[in-house]
Amino acid sequence: MNAELERFVKTYLHYEQAYDVRGALRPTLAAFGEPFMEGVRRGFVDLLQERSATIGDYERLTDVEFSDEGSLYDYLQGIYAYLFESGAEQPTPPE
């Protein structure tokens, strides 16, 4: 996970923020500007290809628990699609 993605995940996908799916995440990322957005996008691409973060790693960053790595990566793929592929809805992490 690169520095831009880690910063974004820690701040905007943390437990207190991750369940707010009212549509502010995409414009918030865009407000950072193109260099940061590209860093987050590249970080997602690499993470989704390499699957290098464990559920423990993600929980330490966000306080959000996943039951298995498959559900974590499904969620992260959904976040990527929402942010960079004009996905219709921001996914919600597990309760």
Side-chain angles (χ1 to χ4, degrees):
M1 186 177 300
N2 67 15
E4 293 90 350
L5 180 57
E6 183 172 333
R7 180 175 158 205
F8 184 77
V9 166
K10 283 171 66 172
T11 304
Y12 297 103
L13 298 179
H14 194 272
Y15 186 82
E16 289 87 17
Q17 299 287 336
Y19 294 94
D20 181 359
V21 294
R22 294 177 290 170
L25 190 61
R26 197 179 301 158
T28 297
L29 177 59
F32 279 98
E34 189 59 37
F36 185 78
M37 280 182 61
E38 180 55 26
V40 171
R41 189 195 68 73
R42 174 62 28 223
F44 264 115
V45 168
D46 292 346
L47 180 62
L48 292 168
Q49 287 177 347
E50 298 166 4
R51 296 176 69 101
S52 55
T54 66
I55 55 176
D57 295 334
Y58 194 81
E59 184 179 354
R60 279 187 290 283
L61 287 175
T62 64
D63 288 333
V64 176
E65 295 180 38
F66 284 85
S67 60
D68 58 70
E69 287 188 9
S71 61
L72 169 61
Y73 282 96
D74 287 346
Y75 171 72
L76 292 174
Q77 182 64 55
I79 292 289
Y80 178 84
Y82 173 72
L83 292 173
F84 299 105
E85 297 175 341
S86 300
E89 294 182 359
Q90 178 182 334
T92 305
E95 296 291 327

